[in-house]
Amino acid sequence: MADRIPEPRLQQTIAIIGCGDVGSTLAYTLIQNPICSEVLLVDPKTELLEAQVRDLGDATYGGRSATRIRAGTHKEAGQADIVVVTAGAKQKTGESRISLLTRNLHILSSIFTDMAPISPHTILMLVANPVDILTHFARKLSGLPESQVLGTGTSLDSARLKGILAKKADVAASSINAYVLGEHGDSQFIAWSSATIGTSPFSLACPNLLSAAIKREVSEHTRGAAGAIIAAKGCTAYGIGNVAASLCKYILYDSRTVRPLSFYQPALGCCLSMPAVIGRKGIVRPVPVKLDETEQKELEDCARGLREVIAGAEEEISKDKEMEETMEKDLVGKE
Ligand SMILES: NC(=O)C1=CN([C@@H]2O[C@H](COP(=O)(O)OP(=O)(O)OC[C@H]3O[C@@H](n4cnc5c(N)ncnc54)[C@H](O)[C@@H]3O)[C@@H](O)[C@H]2O)C=CC1
Ligand SMILES: CC(=O)C(=O)O
């Protein structure tokens, strides 16, 4: 097959904050399927950053990719068309995503200080965990319009769901339409009542998959996927790399694709995943989904849990501020 260089979008930059396992895998995916002219990597570990840029750069010189890759600063990243935040601690075996909150909220806050002033046109995509809570705080920290701040949310969980359902129903994953909704975390739930194979509801196309035992097995598989992969290899990277790269493409191409994404839900008072149309301006509009009684309760329980975590984090932030102010006053008093 002739080496064709796919045309990247003219002069569009995707900045990736954090070039560890997830950031570098996303960068590699963007090089392999060029959609932008430049990928900018930012990481305070300068040796790692330079090495990632060199290694990824080597993957672009064979003539197959027209996307340039370079190291940049947070300030430069703040002017990119899309900023993807992968910076932060990751779970160790047995740890929950929520346990990363304090560490990753500090990192997130410092990233916005370093990026300021952020371009008013930037689309901000959160990947670092706990992604729904970080998306919630990123809205405030970035000052960007609500529609321009989104988290990858349950897009990855939904891909995992399609994978297991495809095997069980013996059809291609692309023929399954089913979403995991709510938190990218333990309180996530599957919207079984709206799942289809082609255009046929599961109750018609494969009623056997709706038995309590299968539903339990599938939801345990989907909820437990990250933990199982992390226990064996220390991280997950390919799945999220592909998900985040696809979302970048939907944004730059203004493709108006429907995905389950984490964004602010006014009726629930937090960010969590619900279906939305995604395009050049970020979240173009939410897509209403009909939930049955059980799913509606799962959604409300999930939102309540997230709101509690947000309230706890806000309390910590205000205590930290009070302590800082007291220390400043003490210092002034001693001068
Ligand atoms: N939302 C999702 O579906 C997924 C989320 N994740 C999350 O993504 C995050 C990253 O995971 P990995 O790449 O495996 O971790 P990693 O430890 O390999 O890389 C994180 C990188 O962030 C960098 N970093 C720290 N502070 C920074 C700052 N202020 N600015 C720029 N970079 C900074 C670190 O130096 C490090 O290189 C974790 O929170 C993980 O839980 C991982 C997989 C899927
Ligand atoms: C780590 C993580 O959040 C995931 O793979 O789902």
Side-chain angles (χ1 to χ4, degrees):
M1 199 168 48
D3 255 358
R4 194 177 60 81
I5 302 176
E7 277 293 312
R9 304 303 274 184
L10 285 178
Q11 299 307 321
Q12 309 238 43
T13 298
I14 298 175
I16 303 175
I17 313 290
C19 68
D21 286 310
V22 174
S24 59
T25 306
L26 168 59
Y28 184 67
T29 312
L30 290 170
I31 287 171
Q32 292 299 305
N33 309 281
I35 54 165
C36 60
S37 49
E38 182 179 68
V39 171
L40 197 67
L41 290 185
V42 182
D43 200 298
K45 291 184 187 159
T46 47
E47 255 183 67
L48 172 72
L49 175 64
E50 292 304 331
Q52 295 286 36
V53 168
R54 283 186 71 176
D55 195 13
L56 286 158
D58 290 347
T60 68
Y61 304 138
R64 285 196 58 82
S65 182
T67 298
R68 273 174 294 125
I69 182 131
R70 71 175 176 94
T73 61
H74 288 90
K75 263 252 173 330
E76 288 175 286
Q79 303 309 306
D81 296 276
I82 304 177
V83 174
V84 186
V85 180
T86 75
K90 58 183 157 196
Q91 303 146 259
K92 296 197 177 71
T93 303
E95 250 189 319
S96 75
R97 294 177 180 94
I98 293 285
S99 70
L100 305 169
L101 178 58
T102 308
R103 280 170 283 170
N104 288 355
L105 198 47
H106 273 114
I107 291 176
L108 189 69
S109 166
S110 77
I111 288 171
F112 284 108
T113 306
D114 294 344
M115 279 201 297
I118 191 163
S119 158
H121 306 295
T122 294
I123 307 295
L124 190 62
M125 188 191 299
L126 279 297
V127 172
N129 277 316
V131 70
D132 303 289
I133 312 281
L134 295 188
T135 306
H136 181 94
F137 283 99
R139 293 160 46 239
K140 298 182 181 173
L141 291 166
S142 69
L144 289 171
E146 202 73 82
S147 60
Q148 287 170 224
V149 184
L150 57 101
T152 50
T154 54
S155 285
L156 177 55
D157 311 272
S158 298
R160 290 168 174 155
L161 174 66
K162 277 182 168 200
I164 183 168
L165 289 177
K167 276 193 197 130
K168 291 202 177 287
D170 193 22
V171 297
S174 57
S175 297
I176 304 256
N177 301 300
Y179 288 149
V180 175
L181 296 176
E183 182 195 7
H184 175 61
D186 295 340
S187 70
Q188 63 180 232
F189 66 96
I190 297 170
W192 289 104
S193 64
S194 56
T196 65
I197 292 187
T199 58
S200 307
F202 270 40
S203 54
L204 192 63
C206 50
N208 58 319
L209 294 192
L210 293 177
S211 74
I214 301 268
K215 278 166 102 172
R216 195 177 324 109
E217 180 198 334
V218 168
S219 76
E220 277 169 11
H221 168 92
T222 308
R223 186 178 289 112
I229 298 169
I230 288 168
K233 63 172 266 194
C235 72
T236 64
Y238 296 116
I240 187 61
N242 189 58
V243 162
S246 300
L247 295 176
C248 288
K249 184 174 175 179
Y250 303 151
I251 293 167
L252 294 184
Y253 284 55
D254 195 23
S255 71
R256 311 276 162 148
T257 302
V258 177
R259 301 302 309 140
L261 296 167
S262 189
F263 60 103
Y264 188 65
Q265 310 291 327
L268 298 167
C270 62
C271 289
L272 52 69
S273 280
M274 293 298 272
V277 177
I278 181 171
R280 188 62 188 86
K281 292 192 171 159
I283 301 288
V284 179
R285 61 176 178 278
V287 178
V289 59
K290 201 164 186 306
L291 300 177
D292 68 16
E293 215 176 298
T294 310
E295 294 157 1
Q296 184 62 34
K297 185 173 177 315
E298 287 173 313
L299 174 66
E300 280 159 22
D301 289 349
C302 170
R304 190 175 315 109
L306 288 169
R307 283 196 304 270
E308 279 168 16
V309 177
I310 290 165
E314 278 169 344
E315 205 175 305
E316 285 298 313
I317 292 169
S318 73
K319 268 192 213 152
D320 283 355
K321 250 195 204 139
E322 264 173 41
M323 206 191 292
E324 265 172 37
E325 281 166 8
T326 316
M327 280 164 70
E328 261 171 37
K329 270 187 205 154
D330 286 354
L331 273 178
V332 173
K334 277 183 191 152
E335 277 170 8

